[in-house]
Amino acid sequence: MEKSTACLGGGVCIVMILWWCCIRNVTSGASDHRYKQGDSVPFYANKVGPFHNPSETYRYFDLPFCSPANVEEKKEDLGEVLNGDRLVVAPFTMDFQIDQEPTSICKKRLTRAEVVQFRAAILKDYFFQMYYDDLPIWGFLGRFESEDQDDTAGAKVYLFRHTHFEIHYNKDRIIDVFVQNKPNEVVSLTEDTEVDVDFTYSVQWTPTDMSFEKRLEKYSQASLMLLNLEIHWFSIINSCVAVLLLTGLLATILMHVLKNDFSKFTHDEEAVDEQEGSGWKYIHGDVFRYPMYKSLFAAATGIGTQLFALSIFIFMLALVGVFYPYNRGALVTALVIIYALTSGIAGYSAASFYYMIEGKNWMKIMVLTGSLFSGPLFLTFCFLNTVAIAYSSTAALPLGTIVVIFLLWTLVTSPLLVVGGIAGRNSRPEFQTPCRTNKYPREIPQLPWYRRTLPQMAMAGFLPFSAIYIELYYIFISIWGHQIYTIYSILFIVFIILFIVTAFITVALTYFQLAAEDHQWWWRSFVCGGSTGLFIYGYCIYFYYVRSDMFGFMQTSFFFGYMACICYGFFLMLGTVGFRAALFFVRHIYRSIKCE
């Protein structure tokens, strides 16, 4: 009782700490400034990059714009740096309620190299991103004219030299900001010759009745459009139908099991043994035999439990409105902090289960738990960060940020993992089995091809994937595009349906496996439950080559590298869900028979 109370108290403390940290960090970007006429308004230039390559971004002044003598950088938090944001003070003066006629920023003669640099950027659809009073602003650098969009060798390229800002305000607050580029205010960059450019801008202030509280609504309107909502609800209905079908299948299986169990008490034992579908009873002495590679299995379930808790906490923050549109780095900050704080859950879950199945090497299980997910993630990060450094991209993390993450892992993640492992080892739980395990394992009969691991994984992964694939598209264009995803309530429903379908299909396949007198169900239930992660990665390949316009080595590396880590995380999390559901089912059905 004391141990349970201590664990509960520790869990409550973790929840309170992460809640405070996340709220403090992710809401720091919210701007509620009030201004008087003539007051200076924070205006930052962020980054530039190809419109279709969200990961390939560069500093604003990496392009030969009008740059001040001393570029003033904004101090950024961890999430902004991880997100690739590098904010600097913009070269514009836009004081509150002060209209400006076309004003020169600077007059500059572009060298041939700078002309080539601008031209290459325009042909790749480069855009810029800025923040004015924490409101995002986007715009393209220029335009090009070409008869063949796929072949831009002979294209006419034009650079926008004038930028017009229209700012809406309500009394003493800024509500909205728009940027316009006049088509006739351009400079031709078609030829490799030096060009004189006068970069100018103008500002117009317009009053509006829109309240300050609604100023971010337009950024989420695309998600709330009627057609998109209908598609989202269709996705949920499709998923619910899948759940109902699987529930019916599982109920049929359970009724069949109960019918066989009932006949055991109404007929003699020989008659029962001849009944179809009772093969799972023969292996009662082997079904609870511990799996091979116990330490690896326990570590995988421990990390899966941690990732499940991480997902729940992220949804909690999302549903209370923490991740409002363009809260820079909010989601990344929350992921890093919560992952660090929930490492104790992984340690406790892995160690307690490891000792439950009679494991002995505590150090081995801790090392495996600490490296099974973070190890591949670290190697992927090292490769991708090297690629980003080679491209001089803002996606490359500064040394200071890498040191901060290392200290977070050393001083928070690792100690909590060890503390959780010690608590799990000291809990000394017993693995309750309704049947005694035989000394020697029973021989598994030859199985048809469709009962083997790979076909079973294909069947197990397809149904959960079919329940979420419609929603996946909107998530992908939000992560790897410029759309905003704000319907977290619908996403949470789909998330719950995914777990239910995964649990049901894993239970059904486990029953068929046991009915075929195959008692090695531990790893099979795990890989079948996690196989949806493989289907998601298959969808990544389809999305990249069919549904997106991403290109280039860097963007390809970032997309497939980080999506591999995400899908691997889904594999571990859903595998844990599948195994836990199968374990509950197996215990239940074997309690219904008398084991010798």
Side-chain angles (χ1 to χ4, degrees):
M1 181 67 180
E2 293 179 357
K3 293 179 181 177
S4 301
T5 305
C7 291
L8 178 61
V12 172
C13 290
I14 289 177
V15 171
M16 293 180 66
I17 291 173
L18 77 90
W19 187 267
W20 179 83
C21 290
C22 288
I23 291 295
R24 186 176 184 272
N25 280 274
V26 301
T27 59
S28 60
S31 174
D32 190 14
H33 297 148
R34 297 175 182 269
Y35 303 97
K36 297 178 181 178
Q37 186 173 11
D39 284 352
S40 178
V41 180
F43 191 13
Y44 298 102
N46 188 12
K47 52 191 176 183
V48 295
F51 181 78
H52 300 293
N53 288 359
S55 300
E56 186 182 348
T57 54
Y58 306 93
R59 294 176 181 272
Y60 181 79
F61 288 118
D62 283 348
L63 290 176
F65 290 110
C66 295
S67 175
N70 296 316
V71 177
E72 183 179 350
E73 298 185 355
K74 178 184 179 296
K75 186 178 181 180
E76 297 165 329
D77 60 31
L78 178 62
E80 290 176 322
V81 176
L82 293 176
N83 201 41
D85 293 333
R86 302 292 186 272
L87 278 72
V88 297
V89 175
F92 306 95
T93 302
M94 294 164 47
D95 296 333
F96 189 70
Q97 291 187 17
I98 303 297
D99 291 341
Q100 284 191 233
E101 296 298 325
T103 304
S104 178
I105 306 173
C106 76
K107 294 180 179 180
K108 184 174 184 179
R109 174 178 286 269
L110 298 180
T111 65
R112 293 180 62 182
E114 291 173 337
V115 168
V116 171
Q117 187 179 4
F118 264 130
R119 184 169 64 237
I122 294 171
L123 291 175
K124 291 182 179 180
D125 287 327
Y126 266 51
F127 76 104
F128 64 82
Q129 184 186 53
M130 300 180 180
Y131 286 94
Y132 187 71
D133 193 45
D134 281 335
L135 289 173
I137 307 172
W138 305 272
F140 285 97
L141 304 185
R143 60 181 176 86
F144 64 91
E145 298 174 357
S146 176
E147 295 180 359
D148 186 358
Q149 294 295 325
D150 296 328
D151 183 12
T152 58
K156 296 181 179 180
V157 182
Y158 301 96
L159 172 69
F160 296 133
R161 70 172 189 84
H162 179 78
T163 305
H164 176 71
F165 297 94
E166 181 179 350
I167 306 171
H168 294 183
Y169 68 97
N170 187 345
K171 297 179 181 178
D172 56 354
R173 286 174 165 179
I174 296 173
I175 305 300
D176 211 344
V177 57
F178 301 91
V179 63
Q180 299 174 359
N181 297 111
K182 296 182 179 180
N184 58 334
E185 297 284 347
V186 296
V187 175
S188 177
L189 301 181
T190 306
E191 304 295 334
D192 289 340
T193 57
E194 294 185 353
V195 177
D196 291 320
V197 182
D198 183 10
F199 289 100
T200 61
Y201 73 101
S202 56
V203 183
Q204 178 183 350
W205 289 83
T206 305
T208 181
D209 295 331
M210 181 182 292
S211 64
F212 178 81
E213 290 74 18
K214 295 182 178 181
R215 75 172 191 162
L216 291 176
E217 284 188 355
K218 78 167 188 176
Y219 302 106
S220 58
Q221 284 177 354
S223 298
L224 299 175
M225 288 175 62
L226 181 60
L227 178 60
N228 285 337
L229 281 176
E230 289 178 354
I231 295 175
H232 287 298
W233 284 114
F234 173 78
S235 172
I236 290 180
I237 293 173
N238 174 64
S239 303
C240 289
V241 170
V243 171
L244 292 175
L245 290 175
L246 285 173
T247 304
L249 175 63
L250 185 61
T252 303
I253 293 173
L254 291 177
M255 289 176 62
H256 184 65
V257 171
L258 293 176
K259 181 180 178 181
N260 288 338
D261 292 337
F262 179 75
S263 65
K264 175 168 63 71
F265 298 103
T266 56
H267 300 81
D268 60 288
E269 189 68 22
E270 182 179 355
V272 173
D273 291 342
E274 295 176 355
Q275 291 182 14
E276 182 183 0
S278 60
W280 60 272
K281 297 178 185 177
Y282 293 127
I283 58 173
H284 62 79
D286 296 280
V287 72
F288 292 106
R289 189 179 304 279
Y290 299 141
M292 298 176 62
Y293 311 109
K294 292 187 290 187
S295 55
L296 179 61
F297 190 83
T301 57
I303 296 171
T305 304
Q306 177 191 9
L307 295 178
F308 176 79
L310 170 66
S311 302
I312 294 300
F313 288 136
I314 288 294
F315 273 112
M316 288 170 56
L317 295 177
L319 292 174
V320 298
V322 171
F323 305 134
Y324 60 85
Y326 292 103
N327 187 1
R328 295 188 302 273
L331 180 59
V332 181
T333 302
L335 283 171
V336 171
I337 293 176
I338 299 177
Y339 179 80
L341 292 175
T342 54
S343 60
I345 297 176
Y348 179 85
S349 177
S352 61
F353 185 77
Y354 182 63
Y355 279 90
M356 187 186 299
I357 57 178
E358 300 179 2
K360 302 298 182 183
N361 194 336
W362 180 80
M363 184 61 66
K364 182 179 180 180
I365 186 63
M366 286 294 96
V367 171
L368 275 174
T369 306
S371 60
L372 191 59
F373 179 73
S374 59
L377 181 62
F378 172 74
L379 293 177
T380 302
F381 162 76
C382 289
F383 171 73
L384 296 180
N385 201 60
T386 303
V387 172
I389 292 173
Y391 275 73
S392 300
S393 170
T394 60
L397 296 188
L399 179 61
T401 303
I402 296 176
V403 171
V404 169
I405 295 176
F406 176 76
L407 291 176
L408 184 65
W409 181 80
T410 304
L411 302 178
V412 179
T413 304
S414 297
L416 286 178
L417 177 69
V418 173
V419 170
I422 294 174
R425 181 184 62 181
N426 294 337
S427 64
R428 297 289 181 182
E430 294 183 2
F431 188 71
Q432 300 177 356
T433 60
C435 302
R436 185 175 56 192
T437 302
N438 296 333
K439 185 176 181 180
Y440 299 104
R442 182 188 181 95
E443 183 180 357
I444 299 174
Q446 185 69 25
L447 300 176
W449 66 270
Y450 57 85
R451 287 186 180 272
R452 295 176 183 173
T453 302
L454 290 179
Q456 296 282 295
M457 289 176 64
M459 287 187 285
F462 176 75
L463 282 175
F465 175 76
S466 65
I468 65 170
Y469 82 96
I470 295 178
E471 207 66 25
L472 272 181
Y473 171 74
Y474 292 97
I475 297 173
F476 272 55
I477 62 175
S478 175
I479 298 175
W480 300 104
H482 303 281
Q483 299 294 325
I484 309 300
Y485 194 99
T486 57
I487 316 177
Y488 297 111
S489 56
I490 290 181
L491 184 60
F492 183 67
I493 295 173
V494 173
F495 183 76
I496 297 300
I497 291 174
L498 172 63
F499 283 128
I500 295 174
V501 176
T502 299
F504 280 0
I505 192 64
T506 306
V507 166
L509 291 176
T510 300
Y511 169 74
F512 290 129
Q513 181 182 358
L514 297 179
E517 301 181 21
D518 182 358
H519 55 79
Q520 295 180 348
W521 61 275
W522 296 67
W523 276 109
R524 177 76 66 84
S525 64
F526 187 91
V527 297
C528 284
S531 60
T532 304
L534 302 179
F535 277 82
I536 297 176
Y537 198 70
Y539 182 81
C540 293
I541 300 174
Y542 164 79
F543 179 84
Y544 183 87
Y545 289 105
V546 179
R547 304 302 297 270
S548 78
D549 295 315
M550 291 182 278
F551 62 91
F553 177 74
M554 178 181 170
Q555 183 61 42
T556 303
S557 301
F558 268 71
F559 179 81
F560 287 107
Y562 281 127
M563 285 309 303
C565 293
I566 293 173
C567 293
Y568 177 50
F570 267 95
F571 178 84
L572 294 174
M573 180 175 63
L574 296 178
T576 301
V577 171
F579 166 70
R580 292 293 183 182
L583 177 62
F584 175 82
F585 172 77
V586 172
R587 278 176 171 167
H588 174 76
I589 63 173
Y590 280 95
R591 284 196 187 103
S592 63
I593 63 173
K594 293 182 179 180
C595 301
E596 296 180 359

